[in-house]
Amino acid sequence: MKIFIRIFVIFWLVTIAMIAISPFLLSSSLPDDRLRTLPLTDLQACAKSVLDRYQQAGLQGLQQQKPACYSGVLLSPHGVPVAGLAGRKLSSMELHLVVDVEGSKSVMTRSLFAKTYVALPADPDSPTPYIYLATVPLSKRAIVASQLNKLGRLLVVSGLFSCLVAAYFVRPIARLSHVAEQFGKGDLKTRAHPSLSERKDEIGELGKTFNQMAESIESLVERYRSFLAHASHELGSPLTRLNIALALAKRKAGPQLEHELGRIGYEADRLNGLVQELLLLARLESGNELTRDIELFDIAALVDEACADVSYEAKEFGKSILIVRGEPFQMQGYRDLLRRALDNVLRNGLRFAQTEGCVQVSYFQSSGSATGTILIQDDGPGIPPGQEEAIFEPFFTLPNKNSEAIAGGSGLGLAIARQAVLANRGVISAQQLAGKGLTLSIELPTAGETPFPPRATA
């Protein structure tokens, strides 16, 4: 909007300046219709009076003409001046005016800045009437009104012109900005419209460059997702065989190897959990996890269930999960995916909470809003400024300053949570509050507001 305003103001001022100085650059005046403000009755009376005196006493009768008759000049039917100011010649504008009115019984006018020339037949009933040419000065009020009228028209015309020029330049930039915004939100298929990319100017070059960049990024992301899915799948089979071999080794080994084999089993379980999380993340990012049916469910029951499960783990470390605000609302979506997201967020908060700390949970729907919100807040050290988005990236981990915190953390929990929330058409975000730890907010559309699009079937 800023560039639009700048271009608009610049073109507007330039247009106003050009039109404003045009009367001084060109030795002509702007046309002005003042017929409705002219004293036509007085002019017609003057014309008839002058003509009568001329017909009765000739030129000597015209010498008695009063100034009130607007310095009029009486012209013969053939355009020859027979009366008027001594020695005054008709200007070119007056001559053109006389030519226009000859043979016509109407009133003709030509306007300058402060006066108006008026030509009218002195005797409308005559087949070849004499022409009376008068000069009507303009009052100060009329001059001001005329200039304001011109200024108003000037502002309107120049404003429309400037708006069109500004829109011509800004509209394609705004459209490209919208496309970039959609791409940034995760729609990697979006591209600049051909009307932008096929232009033969800098904006067209920008559209082409954007499309090339979008194709490269989409290709990189697809290769990353494909690698993630294949690597996770390939790791699954060796892990299965490893667990089988470990079980056989435990049967054959004596007590002296029990500790070592137990450690191997523990690490194998962690590795197996990591592989399963990688597979789930790959399926979520590719959309393959969204083949299940959509269901209507209550958020209160889902949150209570997730908090109850995580509370067992919290008690082992002297921590707690507390629901501080519960206002039920319903939504349509993938219940098990949202449950997985809540599990991951709660465990993340529990992991970073202080010793004997508490993770607080709130869920509610704002009055008059079509969005339900779930807030999960811990009392831990929080995150460094600027890392609010980075924590949702895969394998991103932060050092835990709490030595008694829950161990583990693969860096995939919040990444999976984000994909699960996105699958439910929601938004998850992080906010660092001074002295209150980290707050994760999950915003979800309530039931009935925006139906899910129909799922394609094979």
Side-chain angles (χ1 to χ4, degrees), residues 206-249:
L206 182 59
K208 293 177 184 177
T209 302
F210 175 84
N211 286 344
Q212 294 172 357
M213 176 201 70
E215 291 175 1
S216 299
I217 293 177
E218 183 185 13
S219 176
L220 288 173
V221 172
E222 289 299 328
R223 288 202 296 268
Y224 154 74
R225 291 174 177 174
S226 177
F227 167 78
L228 193 62
H230 284 84
S232 303
H233 179 73
E234 293 299 325
L235 286 172
S237 297
L239 275 174
T240 302
R241 294 192 294 269
L242 177 62
N243 289 328
I244 295 175
L246 181 60
L248 294 175

Side-chain angles (χ1 to χ4, degrees), residues 174-193 206-222 225 389 393 418-419 422:
R175 293 174 61 187
L176 189 59
S177 176
H178 176 71
V179 172
E181 182 181 2
Q182 295 298 113
F183 189 85
K185 289 182 178 179
D187 185 6
L188 302 184
K189 297 293 183 181
T190 187
R191 297 290 185 274
H193 194 270
L206 182 59
K208 293 177 184 177
T209 302
F210 175 84
N211 286 344
Q212 294 172 357
M213 176 201 70
E215 291 175 1
S216 299
I217 293 177
E218 183 185 13
S219 176
L220 288 173
V221 172
E222 289 299 328
R225 291 174 177 174
E389 288 295 326
E393 295 297 326
R418 179 174 63 176
Q419 293 300 323
L422 288 175

Side-chain angles (χ1 to χ4, degrees), residues 196-352:
L196 293 177
S197 58
E198 294 177 2
R199 289 172 60 115
K200 304 300 182 182
D201 54 13
E202 291 82 0
I203 296 179
E205 292 296 326
L206 182 59
K208 293 177 184 177
T209 302
F210 175 84
N211 286 344
Q212 294 172 357
M213 176 201 70
E215 291 175 1
S216 299
I217 293 177
E218 183 185 13
S219 176
L220 288 173
V221 172
E222 289 299 328
R223 288 202 296 268
Y224 154 74
R225 291 174 177 174
S226 177
F227 167 78
L228 193 62
H230 284 84
S232 303
H233 179 73
E234 293 299 325
L235 286 172
S237 297
L239 275 174
T240 302
R241 294 192 294 269
L242 177 62
N243 289 328
I244 295 175
L246 181 60
L248 294 175
K250 286 183 178 180
R251 293 180 183 179
K252 296 180 180 180
Q256 65 277 15
L257 295 179
E258 182 177 353
H259 176 73
E260 288 76 7
L261 293 177
R263 183 63 184 181
I264 294 174
Y266 172 76
E267 297 297 341
D269 290 340
R270 288 194 60 190
L271 183 58
N272 185 65
L274 176 61
V275 170
Q276 294 304 317
E277 288 186 334
L278 284 171
L279 284 172
L280 176 59
L281 180 61
R283 291 196 300 267
L284 285 171
E285 290 183 338
S286 64
N288 295 332
E289 192 69 12
L290 308 183
T291 57
R292 62 196 73 192
D293 293 331
I294 297 168
E295 56 183 313
L296 176 67
F297 57 92
D298 186 75
I299 289 295
L302 183 69
V303 173
D304 291 343
E305 181 182 323
C307 290
D309 286 349
V310 179
S311 292
Y312 289 107
E313 185 176 346
K315 291 178 181 179
E316 297 180 8
F317 297 92
K319 302 180 182 182
S320 61
I321 306 290
L322 177 63
I323 298 178
V324 296
R325 180 181 178 184
E327 300 176 8
F329 62 90
Q330 290 186 322
M331 67 165 291
Q332 283 184 322
Y334 305 104
R335 188 182 189 278
D336 52 347
L337 289 183
L338 188 57
R339 167 62 190 280
R340 181 62 180 268
L342 289 176
D343 285 346
N344 289 356
V345 174
L346 287 171
R347 285 187 167 85
N348 182 81
L350 195 65
R351 177 169 175 256
F352 285 90

